[in-house]
Amino acid sequence: EVQLQASGGGLVQAGGSLRLSCAASGYRFTIDDYAIGWFRQAPGKEREAVSCINPGDDYMTYADSVKGRFTISSDSAKNTVYLQMDSLKPEDTAVYYCGADFQLSCDYDGTDFSNWGQGTQVTVSS
């Protein structure tokens, strides 16, 4: 079983920054064997993919809406994935979740990852 713990959300003004963390753990678990994705869901909207990383080969993908503003990274020694969010906009307001899926490529464009953490709220005021 994989456990994911997301943290780092908060309230920030437009143009500000936040860094989200997703700490992962499990029996004989290493993030290098997984796709770790960040997703978000705003009220009344479907969950959408934000960014994904395959730490094993450092392959990353981003949604067009966040390219150039968000940066995903990982620390395999800590089994943690980060999402640095800069130049935040009010439309980035949502609950952000991290998900993990074993041996999945980040080219996968679905949102049905196998393992999920609890969400962390990000609110961007105008």
Side-chain angles (χ1 to χ4, degrees):
E1 183 180 358
V2 176
Q3 293 85 41
L4 303 171
Q5 179 77 32
S7 62
L11 173 64
V12 65
Q13 289 187 332
S17 298
L18 284 173
R19 189 177 82 153
L20 305 184
S21 299
C22 176
S25 62
Y27 179 70
R28 291 188 175 181
F29 175 88
T30 171
I31 59 173
D32 289 351
D33 293 334
Y34 285 74
I36 309 293
W38 283 101
F39 303 81
R40 65 188 181 187
Q41 188 165 19
K45 295 187 177 181
E46 293 186 353
R47 184 172 296 187
E48 64 173 343
V50 175
S51 183
C52 179
I53 187 168
N54 288 123
D57 56 11
D58 214 24
Y59 178 65
M60 295 164 276
T61 60
Y62 296 92
D64 288 343
S65 60
V66 306
K67 281 181 181 176
R69 300 188 297 121
F70 291 10
T71 304
I72 194 169
S73 62
S74 64
D75 184 335
S76 295
K78 296 181 178 179
N79 271 338
T80 300
V81 170
Y82 305 97
L83 185 69
Q84 177 67 40
M85 305 188 296
D86 298 319
S87 302
L88 282 161
K89 303 175 181 180
E91 51 263 45
D92 294 317
T93 295
V95 178
Y96 283 69
Y97 300 87
C98 58
D101 210 294
F102 183 63
Q103 292 186 335
L104 182 71
S105 170
C106 282
D107 284 335
Y108 176 71
D109 62 0
T111 60
D112 55 338
F113 277 34
S114 298
N115 304 279
W116 292 95
Q118 89 297 348
T120 185
Q121 176 71 47
V122 171
T123 303
V124 184
S125 63
S126 57

